[in-house]
């Protein structure tokens, strides 16, 4: 099954359930945002922490990447909470 089909959207002659369509769109958006977030964080933290790319990470590079990713996740959480609380 591809990303454009689901059991709730089958062509059984009836119109698709709008709630099911919205849930599928929300799930796809969440997946896309998560993928983009991980790619962005990975690239930025790699650029910041890995000064001499090699076959493996040094202990300090690994520690730096871990801290960098943790900071991005924490900052994203703070921004998300601020945005969602201001919308209410």
């Amino acid at each position: 099954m591809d990303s454009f089909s689901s059991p709730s959207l089958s062509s059984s002659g009836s119109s698709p359930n709008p709630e099911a369509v919205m849930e599928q769109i929300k799930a796809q958006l969440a997946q896309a945002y998560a993928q983009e977030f991980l790619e962005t964080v990975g690239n930025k933290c790699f650029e910041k922490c890995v000064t001499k790319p090699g076959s493996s990470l040094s202990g300090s590079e690994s520690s730096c990447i871990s801290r960098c990713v943790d900071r991005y996740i924490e900052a994203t959480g703070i921004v998300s909470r601020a945005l969602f609380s201001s919308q209410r």
Side-chain angles (χ1 to χ4, degrees):
M1 185 179 321
D2 63 19
S3 63
F4 296 108
S5 62
S6 81
S8 63
L9 299 177
S10 63
S11 57
S12 60
S14 62
S15 62
N17 178 349
E19 290 83 15
V21 172
M22 284 303 295
E23 287 304 313
Q24 184 177 11
I25 291 171
K26 286 179 185 179
Q28 289 175 348
L29 280 172
Q31 183 179 4
Y33 287 138
Q35 186 175 1
E36 181 180 355
F37 174 79
L38 290 174
E39 186 176 320
T40 300
V41 169
N43 289 338
K44 290 196 180 288
C45 291
F46 185 86
E47 286 176 17
K48 178 183 185 297
C49 297
V50 180
T51 55
K52 295 180 183 177
S55 61
S56 63
L57 295 175
S58 70
S60 61
E61 290 171 336
S62 180
S63 178
C64 177
I65 289 173
S66 179
R67 286 191 312 271
C68 178
V69 170
D70 288 345
R71 283 195 303 266
Y72 265 95
I73 291 171
E74 182 180 2
T76 300
I78 291 168
V79 170
S80 295
R81 284 190 297 276
L83 285 174
F84 287 121
S85 67
S86 69
Q87 290 179 352
R88 293 180 184 182

